[in-house]
């Protein structure tokens, strides 16, 4: 009996994978970028943003949650899928208050970098303009949930790595939002520290260290010269801003 | 204050609205009330800019503000950037900058002065001055200037570009960069960037001198007209160095009256609100600031190039100072108040900016790498003041214990010049419009006066394709009796 090779087809190319890897992990290891926002190499997949949606043997699925298997024929970089990804990004932009020109995360933000990469030129949808608060009560960190995309990376990091449960998702539907677990609901009142993992994982500009905004000049920011794909595929795995 | 602010009675008066004013800020509108003999009874400039921006800043972290406020203005974002960061330096606890940081900020600012003055004069004002106030409106723009005076237009474009390159090298982008941060700057100027800028500096100085010469020459063609157009005496305010030198980045407040006598001098910028008061009028959102001690009637003033070069004792660079002296000599040593003289003063300042840029580029500190000052005690309240291209600009902030802005007050150049611009158009309306059949060319006289103070790039770019202009004639009851309009392509309809 011939051995079954740990290989799958991705956009017509054969790629090898390690048993147990997800399609996203296998693709990144093989040097192929699949857009993603809520996935992080150090955390269990979450499968919420749907940016990583691929077609596996004719069916849609999240590349960050589906395990790689021999015989899979995966489509990712197709005009149809990229169009849908762009629409998802437009929805994320419409859902929050994302004001890139004045945002200190600009140039280092995964949401913005993906929007550039997927050629999102306009917001398309009517803005929700949700009323969300900024919280400056913590001495080291500034929270601006206007920019939150509900990826729950901070929730996972605080719970699974920091063992603190500082952040949680609350509300439903349009009212879904991140809350802070403290008597006043303010970060200053919680056990959070900017050195926590939760202080380092936010892919957008919602959890930020104080007073260092704009310290890095234009031209030296993470995505000034490289696309999000190039940054994500760098071997030194410094692809998440703040984790260096 | 001019009698034309409010008509005695509105009975039997027609109303003309110039809306929007072309080649100036998007939300400018002029209303004129005329009687049956076309005599002018009331003239008002309404500006609805900047409302609400303060509320937008409140609740934001202080380090974000210098970047966000740049969105206030398309023509001088760097001025807002620097005024805000000067306040935020103190909020964050930096009470002095490193020599390199201060010089890089100055370099950015003088680059901004140069690019803004160049665009203001060459792109926006020169079409009127070179082609004629009532020349064919479809050609009365920079494209028309380029067709008739290609060399002048090219020099204007390149002077502006040089200023923009300085901004790019110091802030990372030609427009809306980040450069200055509380406590210093985020970017060095490399030796290569410095050399690139130095290579062209002598050409720029030559062109800036030519530009002063051009305005002086235009003036010489019709001195009486240039001196009297939109002329009105007023107080003048600007920043000055301790030795009385013109100072655009950081100085103390100084004001002279219309005859040149000192009203106050060396007042720290942080005392601005004890010095100035802002008056609200029912017919416009824009406030009217005036010098408190003189009252609203006598205390209003002008700011900007014409005020600055006559408020200071001297300009600290030789070529510009020489030109300033020539300019002053023509006034017989007395301050000059003609609205078109703003352009002359503007080009003298542009020359000063290029000279200062040369000196800064020659300074070894400019390529230093020590970018951040020493952090000391933080403040909860601070004022940042700068001379923006169009005049004195105040940024005042209070920041809470949570680092978020709890109070913000901005007095922009346009607001400082609000009364002066109203006076200028009233003077022009009285001298040029009153008693005549209203034509596009005559209405453009009004716009010429506003443009001498205050154009804005966001509109100016539209103006190349011609902004739509609508003039409504209404009878005393407000009913529309006639309308003249030109569309986007400038065709009259
Ligand atoms: S705050 Fe940041 S990390 Fe947390 S859910 Fe929102 S976007 Fe994700
Ligand atoms: S990355 Fe897979 S769903 Fe977000």
């Amino acid at each position: 009996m011939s051995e079954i090779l740990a290989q799958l087809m991705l956009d017509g190319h054969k790629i090898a994978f390690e048993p147990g890897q997800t399609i996203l992990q296998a693709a990144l290891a093989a040097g192929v970028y699949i857009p993603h926002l809520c996935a992080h190499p150090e955390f269990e997949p979450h499968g919420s943003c749907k940016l990583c949606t691929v077609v596996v043997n004719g069916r849609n699925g999240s590349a960050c949650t589906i395990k790689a298997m021999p015989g899979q024929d995966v489509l990712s970089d197709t005009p149809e899928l990229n169009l849908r990804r762009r629409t998802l990004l437009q929805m994320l932009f419409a859902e929050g208050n994302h004001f890139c020109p004045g945002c200190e995360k600009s140039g280092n933000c995964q949401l913005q970098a993906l929007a550039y990469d997927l050629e999102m030129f306009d917001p398309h949808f009517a803005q929700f303009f949700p009323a969300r608060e900024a919280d400056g009560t913590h001495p080291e960190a500034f929270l601006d949930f206007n920019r939150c995309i509900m990826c729950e990376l901070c929730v996972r990091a605080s719970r699974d790595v920091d063992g603190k449960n500082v952040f949680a998702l609350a509300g439903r539907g349009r009212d879904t939002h991140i809350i802070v677990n403290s008597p006043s609901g303010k970060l200053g009142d919680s056990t959070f520290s900017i050195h926590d993992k939760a202080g380092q994982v936010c892919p957008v500009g919602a959890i930020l260290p104080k007073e260092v905004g704009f310290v890095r000049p234009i031209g030296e920011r993470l995505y000034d010269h490289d696309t999000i794909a190039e940054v994500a595929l760098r071997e030194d795995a410094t692809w998440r801003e703040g984790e260096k | 204050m001019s009698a034309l602010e409010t008509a005695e009675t509105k009975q039997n008066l027609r109303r003309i609205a110039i809306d929007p004013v072309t080649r100036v800020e998007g939300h400018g509108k002029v209303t004129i009330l005329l009687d049956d003999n076309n005599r002018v009874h009331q003239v008002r400039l309404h500006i609805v800019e900047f409302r609400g921006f303060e509320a937008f800043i409140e609740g934001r972290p202080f380090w974000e503000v210098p970047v966000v406020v740049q969105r206030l203005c398309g023509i001088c974002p760097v001025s807002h950037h620097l005024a805000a960061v000067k306040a935020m330096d103190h909020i964050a606890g930096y009470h002095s900058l490193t020599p390199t940081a201060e010089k890089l900020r100055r370099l950015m600012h003088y680059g901004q002065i140069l690019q803004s003055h160049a665009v203001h004069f060459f792109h926006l004002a020169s079409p009127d001055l070179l082609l004629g106030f009532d020349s064919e409106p479809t050609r009365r723009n920079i494209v028309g200037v380029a067709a008739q005076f290609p060399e002048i237009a090219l020099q204007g474009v390149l002077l502006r570009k040089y200023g923009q390159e300085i901004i790019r090298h110091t802030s990372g982008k030609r427009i809306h960069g980040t450069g200055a941060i509380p406590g210093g700057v985020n970017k060095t100027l490399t030796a290569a960037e410095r050399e690139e800028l130095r290579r062209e500096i002598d050409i720029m100085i030559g062109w800036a001198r030519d530009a002063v010469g051009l305005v002086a020459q235009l003036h010489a063609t019709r001195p009486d007209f240039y001196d009297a157009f939109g002329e009105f005496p007023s107080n003048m305010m600007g920043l000055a160095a301790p030795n009385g030198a013109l100072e655009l980045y950081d100085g103390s407040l100084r004001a002279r009256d219309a005859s040149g006598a000192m009203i106050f001098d060396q007042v720290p910028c942080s005392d601005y609100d004890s010095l100035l008061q802002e008056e609200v009028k029912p017919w416009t959102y824009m406030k009217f600031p005036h010098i408190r001690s003189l009252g609203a009637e006598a205390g209003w003033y002008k700011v900007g190039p014409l005020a600055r070069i006559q408020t200071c004792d001297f300009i600290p660079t030789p070529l510009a100072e020489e030109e300033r002296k020539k300019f002053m000599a023509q006034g017989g040593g007395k301050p000059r108040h003609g609205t078109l003289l703003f352009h002359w003063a503007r080009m003298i300042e542009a020359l000063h900016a290029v000279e200062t840029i040369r000196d800064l580029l020659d300074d070894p500190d400019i390529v230093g790498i020590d970018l951040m000052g020493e952090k000391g005690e933080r403040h909860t309240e601070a004022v940042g003041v700068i001379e923006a291209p169009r005049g004195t600009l105040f940024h005042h902030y209070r920041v809470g214990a949570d680092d978020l802005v709890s109070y913000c007050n901005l007095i922009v150049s346009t607001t400082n010049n609000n009364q002066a611009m109203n006076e200028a158009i009233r003077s022009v309306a009285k001298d040029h419009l009153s008693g005549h059949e209203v034509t596009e060319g005559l209405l453009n006289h009004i716009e010429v006066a506003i443009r001498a103070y205050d154009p804005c790039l966001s509109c100016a770019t539209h103006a190349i394709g011609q902004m739509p202009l609508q003039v409504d004639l209404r009878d005393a009851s407000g009913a529309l009796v006639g309308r003249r309009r030109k569309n986007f392509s400038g065709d009259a309809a």
Side-chain angles (χ1 to χ4, degrees):
Chain A
M1 211 162 67
S2 65
E3 202 185 331
I4 299 175
L5 292 176
Q7 279 182 342
L8 55 78
M9 295 297 284
L10 176 55
D11 289 332
H13 298 281
K14 224 178 254 169
I15 65 164
F17 60 84
E18 304 275 336
Q21 278 183 323
T22 63
I23 293 175
L24 177 63
Q25 286 166 336
L28 290 173
V32 180
Y33 178 71
I34 297 174
H36 56 278
L37 276 175
C38 70
H40 185 291
E42 293 169 45
F43 294 97
E44 287 296 307
H46 192 246
S48 62
C49 75
K50 300 297 171 207
L51 256 297
C52 69
T53 301
V54 289
V55 178
V56 185
N57 296 338
R59 295 179 60 178
N60 289 335
S62 303
C64 69
T65 55
I66 301 174
K67 292 271 185 271
M69 306 265 249
Q72 283 170 331
D73 184 11
V74 182
L75 296 178
S76 172
D77 190 11
T78 69
E80 299 76 34
L81 284 169
N82 284 333
L83 182 69
R84 278 196 236 166
R85 289 175 181 136
R86 190 152 71 226
T87 306
L88 283 170
L89 285 174
Q90 285 166 324
M91 288 158 74
L92 285 173
F93 271 91
E95 212 172 69
N97 298 313
H98 299 278
F99 182 60
C100 296
C103 177
E104 59 189 278
K105 191 80 175 189
S106 194
N108 297 310
C109 171
Q110 293 181 31
L111 181 66
Q112 183 193 44
L114 257 186
Y116 278 126
D117 201 49
L118 291 169
E119 295 175 349
M120 186 191 122
F121 296 125
D122 63 26
H124 183 78
F125 298 107
Q127 296 287 329
F128 283 21
F129 295 120
R132 295 193 198 153
E133 285 216 354
D135 175 354
T137 53
H138 196 278
E140 305 162 333
F142 169 60
L143 284 189
D144 190 348
F145 288 131
N146 284 297
R147 303 165 183 155
C148 176
I149 57 168
M150 325 282 179
C151 68
E152 283 195 86
L153 271 170
C154 56
V155 177
R156 287 178 271 165
S158 187
R159 183 189 60 215
D160 303 343
V161 181
D162 308 326
K164 291 188 179 178
N165 276 316
V166 170
F167 300 101
L169 203 61
R172 285 169 169 277
R174 270 180 80 150
D175 293 328
T176 312
H177 60 285
I178 293 284
I179 52 167
V180 173
N181 179 11
S182 76
S184 62
K186 296 288 185 195
L187 193 66
D189 215 9
S190 74
T191 55
F192 178 82
S193 153
I194 192 69
H195 307 294
D196 289 352
K197 192 72 186 169
Q200 330 252 312
V201 288
C202 182
V204 294
I207 305 177
L208 295 161
K210 275 187 166 177
E211 286 197 56
V212 294
F214 307 107
V215 162
R216 206 180 298 191
I218 294 168
E220 290 177 25
R221 302 171 307 180
L222 200 55
Y223 302 112
D224 278 338
H225 300 294
D226 299 332
T227 63
I228 190 166
E230 287 161 342
V231 173
L233 292 171
R234 269 187 213 150
E235 282 192 7
D236 57 6
T238 57
W239 59 293
R240 299 268 169 181
E241 174 64 7
E243 287 191 282
K244 287 170 218 165
Chain B
M1 230 170 281
S2 151
L4 293 181
E5 179 176 332
T6 303
E8 257 167 46
T9 160
K10 300 228 153 88
Q11 229 154 35
N12 301 320
L13 298 183
R14 288 175 302 148
R15 180 172 179 273
I16 292 184
I18 308 180
D19 181 13
V21 175
T22 56
R23 282 179 277 150
V24 298
E25 276 174 314
H27 302 97
K29 177 172 117 176
V30 176
T31 56
I32 305 170
L33 293 187
L34 300 169
D35 64 19
D36 288 343
N37 300 317
N38 290 315
R39 270 198 309 266
V40 174
H41 288 256
Q42 176 182 302
V43 184
R44 289 172 173 180
L45 171 65
H46 312 249
I47 301 171
V48 289
E49 203 83 333
F50 307 121
R51 242 173 88 79
F53 209 86
E54 275 109 336
F56 191 71
I57 295 295
E58 285 163 12
R60 301 307 307 167
F62 70 80
W63 56 87
E64 184 186 280
V65 174
V67 173
V68 174
V69 289
Q70 296 189 84
R71 300 282 149 179
L72 266 164
C73 177
I75 205 164
C76 59
V78 168
S79 311
H80 287 288
H81 181 54
L82 291 175
V85 86
K86 282 174 66 180
M88 296 315 178
D89 287 338
H90 294 282
I91 298 282
Y94 296 92
H95 304 297
S96 67
L97 298 180
T98 66
T100 296
E102 162 143 2
K103 284 167 189 171
L104 283 170
R105 283 193 193 174
R106 280 183 183 268
L107 183 63
M108 188 196 297
H109 186 50
Y110 284 88
Q112 161 73 5
I113 295 276
L114 176 63
Q115 84 85 17
S116 170
H117 278 3
V119 84
H120 192 155
F121 176 69
F122 288 99
H123 294 68
L124 307 175
S126 81
D128 299 313
L129 304 178
L130 292 171
L131 306 176
F133 293 7
D134 40 20
S135 60
E136 172 53 37
T138 56
R139 304 194 29 83
R140 203 195 300 139
N141 52 42
I142 186 71
V143 180
V145 173
Q148 271 199 47
F149 306 94
E151 202 166 316
I152 292 174
L154 183 68
Q155 288 176 7
V157 168
L158 294 179
L159 275 169
R160 176 186 181 207
K161 188 160 167 259
Y162 185 78
Q164 287 176 320
E165 282 304 289
I166 288 175
I167 295 170
R168 183 169 71 83
H169 285 312
T170 47
S171 77
K173 278 166 81 186
R174 267 160 73 158
I175 190 159
H176 299 143
T178 60
I181 50 177
V185 295
N186 68 10
K187 187 183 174 304
T188 56
L189 185 73
T190 65
E193 288 166 340
R194 177 204 211 180
E195 274 328 298
E196 184 191 321
L197 292 171
R198 265 174 152 177
R199 254 198 304 277
E200 294 185 300
I201 189 74
D202 289 331
I203 303 173
M204 296 303 147
I205 289 184
W207 288 348
R209 289 183 88 168
D210 291 349
V212 185
L214 175 66
V215 192
Q217 231 177 308
L218 279 167
H219 180 271
T221 58
R222 290 170 80 191
D224 295 343
F225 176 79
Y226 268 82
D227 286 338
F229 185 84
E231 188 189 23
F232 58 93
S234 79
N235 307 312
M236 303 167 287
M237 187 177 75
L239 292 181
N243 63 357
L246 175 70
E247 174 57 71
L248 301 178
Y249 172 74
D250 193 26
S252 306
L253 293 164
R254 175 188 261 207
R256 291 185 191 272
D257 69 15
S259 68
M262 199 74 82
I263 303 173
F264 55 76
D265 190 16
Q266 294 305 310
V267 178
C269 291
S270 50
D271 292 349
Y272 84 99
D273 55 350
S274 59
L275 207 63
L276 306 176
Q277 185 163 2
E278 290 186 272
E279 195 197 5
V280 179
K281 299 202 183 192
W283 52 269
T284 173
Y285 288 128
M286 192 90 156
K287 291 177 183 165
F288 289 82
H290 57 265
I291 297 164
R292 220 178 256 271
S293 60
L294 299 178
E297 281 292 313
W300 57 273
Y301 49 84
K302 24 179 192 274
V303 297
L306 185 61
R308 286 191 291 242
I309 70 160
Q310 304 192 103
T311 306
C312 71
D313 298 335
F314 65 96
I315 297 180
T317 54
L319 298 175
E321 173 59 7
E322 192 184 311
E323 295 297 341
R324 191 190 74 91
K325 281 190 179 138
K326 283 191 220 161
F327 174 90
M328 298 298 282
Q330 290 212 15
K334 284 260 167 267
R336 307 170 73 185
H337 294 284
T339 289
L340 289 176
L341 301 178
F342 261 95
H343 294 305
W344 194 339
R346 184 165 288 125
M347 289 303 97
I348 294 175
E349 282 193 345
L351 176 58
H352 168 56
V354 191
E355 287 184 282
T356 308
I357 289 165
R358 179 203 49 210
D359 296 347
L360 285 166
L361 290 174
D362 284 346
D363 190 321
D365 285 339
I366 206 75
V367 284
I369 52 169
D370 196 5
L371 302 182
M372 290 296 286
E374 284 288 325
K375 200 168 171 158
E377 201 192 325
R378 287 181 50 159
H379 285 203
T380 54
E381 182 166 6
V383 177
V385 181
I386 200 162
E387 283 296 336
R390 295 179 272 166
T392 321
L393 169 64
F394 296 87
H395 278 223
H396 180 188
Y397 301 100
R398 276 181 219 130
V399 172
D402 58 0
D403 293 328
L404 307 187
V405 174
S406 59
Y407 168 85
C408 162
N409 186 39
L410 310 174
I411 309 181
V412 302
S413 323
T414 314
T415 309
N416 278 311
N417 268 332
N418 194 6
Q419 183 69 35
M421 285 194 284
N422 270 283
E423 293 302 321
I425 61 172
R426 281 167 203 153
S427 159
V428 170
K430 180 166 59 71
D431 292 349
H432 298 274
L433 241 64
S434 214
H436 296 280
E437 192 59 49
V438 174
T439 62
E440 191 279 337
L442 277 183
L443 289 178
N444 187 46
H445 281 58
I446 299 272
E447 299 187 37
V448 165
I450 298 168
R451 253 176 250 137
Y453 283 84
D454 213 334
C456 179
L457 193 62
S458 52
C459 277
T461 41
H462 294 296
I464 290 180
Q466 286 294 323
M467 288 274 284
L469 173 71
Q470 179 171 308
V471 179
D472 289 348
L473 301 182
R474 291 173 192 277
D475 64 17
S477 68
L480 193 67
V481 291
R483 170 172 286 177
R484 284 177 59 91
R485 180 166 37 178
K486 67 182 187 221
N487 62 22
F488 274 101
S489 59
D491 303 330

